[in-house]
Each structure stands twice: as structure tokens, then as C-alpha cells.
Amino acid sequence: MRHENSAADLDAAMQIAIGAAESARGFTSPNPAVGAVVLDAAGRIAGVGMTQPPGGPHAEVVALREAGDAARGGTAVVTLEPCNHTGRTGPCSRALLDAGVVAVHYAVGDPNPEAAGGAETLVSAGVEVTSGLRAQDVERGPLRAWLHRQRTGRPHVTWKYAATLDGRSAAADGTSQWITGPEARERVHADRAKLDAIVVGTGTVLADDPRLTARTPDGSLAAHQPVRVVVGLGDIPPGARVLDDSAPTLLLRTRDVDEVLASLAEYTDVLLEGGPRLAGAFLAAGRVDRIQAYLAPLVLGAGTSAVSEAGVHTIDGALRFRHESVETIGPDLLLSLVPAVSENPDSHRT
């Protein structure tokens, strides 16, 4: 007899699946970072999987392989609707049916028309299927950037900056290290290791000579490194650290925001790191999809502002955002914000 999983059991399994999906971020692009958990017929965890790099198996297949025969009569909990098409791998809906799974609970439907339909296939075969389990956590978490790209056809752009309480990113003498504490800097590196690309302007390279790499707490390079993208018309010195062999680097001779994004079309999750004029250009163009603002408990009173020339001239024209979350990280605050008013979906059609 099959165990009837309680709501608490399914919720716990989905939290594990979300964690698995997060661990896959940075390695799966352009495929979505998906997590899956297989519960056996008694409701025990039998397998956990996450999407492998392109060409490798999807999360459901990895979890089913780990579960083996224990999947028969069991339940699959997945962050994204199981795919229904054959690409570089076979359809996950068929893999679940072949394994004898009798129930599937997923968070978010697949918006890709080529891959969607897995839920319908499963239902037609007599499998119990539900959707929406922890959907918001998945939409704001591991699938945020991928869902945005499916919806808009362009990379998801997060503007990250660190500033004092009075909005300064550097002091009057140009010094900026370190505005935030070590805990915030460690968080930034952990986030970088999940990205496809980091974008800065030539001014930032000339002023700060950043590496733009993702590093572990012991200072070594993380397993995944995002592409470093330098935007602008000016030259950068051949000895700049952004040109070392720690990670690939792309130089874009343009200041046009949409030209930058067109050059990054193959990427999904992009971080905008600086400086103030580049941030202003992306904001003015309406191409900032999220802000990560690290606020330090400092006041400088003068110095470089975090953003400039954002196309705002009156208070009525202010660019408004709403916060999704506020975290305390060491002595600093991290605010995650998204545009307060969604853009017209028709503007994203291609």
C-alpha cells in the first residue's frame, strides 16, 4: 500500500529540492537549475538530484537513478514541471513513468512550449499530479533568472552595489575598500559562483583593478567562474587583473545597454557591479530586474554616489522598487528589491 505523504512531508521534500537546485546554479545554463526528490512508497527519501551541466541528465533522472527500485510506487517532488520533449536527453515525464512513480508534485509550470506538457502526460497515464508547492520560493530562488529569460528573451540583470547610509560608494578621496564587512564580501563571492556573467565599466577597471572572480572563504577560486564583461569605449591596460587567466573575459566596445545585453544573449543570470554611470545607464534603460543593495552602517558625507545619470529629473519620475527581503549580514544590511510596477508583458515579445 502506498504511503500518503502529508503536506509537511511534501513541503520538507520541496525544501530539499530547492536546495539541490541552488547548488546547481552556475553549472546548468542555458538549462534551468532544477532540483528533485524521490520518496519511496513509505514516504522516505530515496533519491535527490539536480540538473547536470548541458548534455547531462536532468534532476528527475539523477534522483531516480539514486532511488533505483525504491522509486516504484513512490512520489517525485520537483521544482519545475517535468519536461515532455526529447533534446540532448529524453523526456523526464517518460522517465518518471518508466520508474513507476505514482505521484508528482512540482512548484512551477514549464513556460517553454517545446518542453511543457509533462504534467498532462503524467496525468493521462494515471499519475497524481499537483503544482504550486512552494512556487514563490522557486520563482524568487533558483529559477528566477531562467524564468525571466523565458518570459522576456533576455538575460536577467541584477544590479549589486555597496554603499554607506548616505548612499556613497567611495569616499571623497576615492577610497572604497572596505565599505562592507567580511561577511558581506563572503556572501558576494558565494553569489558570484552561481552566475553566468559579471558586468563592469572600463572606469571601474581603471579605478579599482578588480579581479571579478568568485572565491571560497579560504581564498581559492570557486569551481565555477562567471564570464567577466568589461563595457566601454576606453582602453584598459594589458596588465589589468580582469585579463588574467582566472576566468574568461569579454570586452564590449559599446555604451549601449541593449547592445550589451544582445552580446550576452547566450547567458541567463547576469550581475551588474559598477560603477555609478553604468548602473545609471541600465536603470534609465529599464534593464535592471533586481537590486541587491548592501548598506553599511557608515556615513561619509561626501564622495562618489552609488548611481548617477539614471534619467530621473523630478520626484514624479523616480524609479520605484519594492523590497522582497531584508537580511542582516554581519554589521550590514542586504536589501533585495524588484521594480514596483511590472513592465508591459507585450514589450518582451520577440
Side-chain angles (χ1 to χ4, degrees):
M1 180 179 295
R2 181 170 75 91
H3 172 78
E4 291 294 336
N5 298 289
S6 69
D9 290 338
L10 295 175
D11 187 75
M14 182 59 81
Q15 290 187 63
I16 293 171
I18 292 172
E22 275 291 336
S23 71
R25 281 184 56 209
F27 297 94
T28 66
S29 190
N31 295 331
V34 177
V37 172
V38 173
L39 305 175
D40 67 14
R44 298 177 297 244
I45 294 175
V48 178
M50 69 284 292
T51 308
Q52 299 302 295
H58 292 184
E60 298 94 321
V61 173
V62 175
L64 288 170
R65 287 176 180 173
E66 184 175 302
D69 292 339
R72 190 157 300 279
T75 297
V77 178
V78 193
T79 55
L80 181 67
E81 176 187 4
C83 69
N84 201 45
H85 79 304
T86 299
R88 283 179 281 197
T89 61
C92 292
S93 55
R94 172 48 56 187
L96 291 163
L97 291 174
D98 291 344
V101 168
V102 297
V104 174
H105 304 272
Y106 65 89
V108 179
D110 194 328
N112 185 338
E114 292 183 5
E120 183 178 349
T121 294
L122 292 165
V123 169
S124 297
V127 175
E128 174 193 344
V129 177
T130 67
S131 64
L133 181 59
R134 283 196 171 263
Q136 187 177 83
D137 292 342
V138 172
E139 290 168 348
R140 292 183 176 181
L143 287 183
R144 177 197 292 267
W146 183 82
L147 288 170
H148 176 272
R149 185 178 178 185
Q150 294 298 309
R151 191 170 62 247
T152 68
R154 59 179 175 82
H156 179 277
V157 176
T158 297
W159 171 40
K160 188 275 294 181
Y161 72 93
T164 60
L165 294 177
D166 54 337
R168 309 292 178 177
S169 61
D173 64 357
T175 55
S176 60
Q177 294 181 330
W178 297 98
I179 286 178
T180 53
E183 298 90 346
R185 298 197 294 274
E186 185 174 316
R187 171 67 172 269
V188 167
H189 279 279
D191 285 346
R192 281 181 179 177
K194 300 176 181 179
L195 297 169
D196 295 323
I198 299 177
V199 180
V200 298
T202 53
T204 295
V205 173
L206 294 172
D208 300 335
D209 194 20
R211 286 191 176 90
L212 299 181
T213 52
R215 295 186 176 271
T216 63
D218 66 7
S220 60
L221 289 170
H224 170 73
Q225 294 295 323
V227 173
R228 302 174 292 192
V229 182
V230 182
V231 174
L233 303 179
D235 294 325
I236 60 175
R241 293 192 290 188
V242 76
L243 298 177
D244 66 21
D245 59 2
S246 302
T249 299
L250 178 63
L251 304 179
L252 297 179
R253 289 277 190 166
T254 181
R255 289 177 178 167
D256 184 272
V257 170
D258 285 327
E259 284 184 12
V260 172
L261 292 178
S263 297
L264 302 179
E266 66 182 283
Y267 302 116
T268 300
D269 203 351
V270 172
L271 184 69
L272 179 66
E273 282 219 356
R277 284 194 302 172
L278 187 62
F282 270 76
L283 286 164
R287 291 296 183 253
V288 171
D289 305 302
R290 178 175 57 164
I291 297 175
Q292 287 183 320
Y294 287 85
L295 299 183
L298 308 174
V299 173
L300 290 174
T304 304
S305 297
V307 63
S308 65
E309 301 178 28
V312 176
H313 304 290
T314 68
I315 193 67
D316 289 339
L319 307 176
R320 300 186 184 276
F321 291 79
R322 60 178 175 83
H323 72 266
E324 284 188 336
S325 64
V326 180
E327 299 178 57
T328 300
I329 302 180
D332 308 309
L333 290 180
L334 170 57
L335 278 64
S336 179
L337 308 106
V338 294
V341 179
S342 298
E343 298 178 16
N344 182 352
D346 291 341
S347 67
H348 299 307
R349 291 179 182 173
T350 58

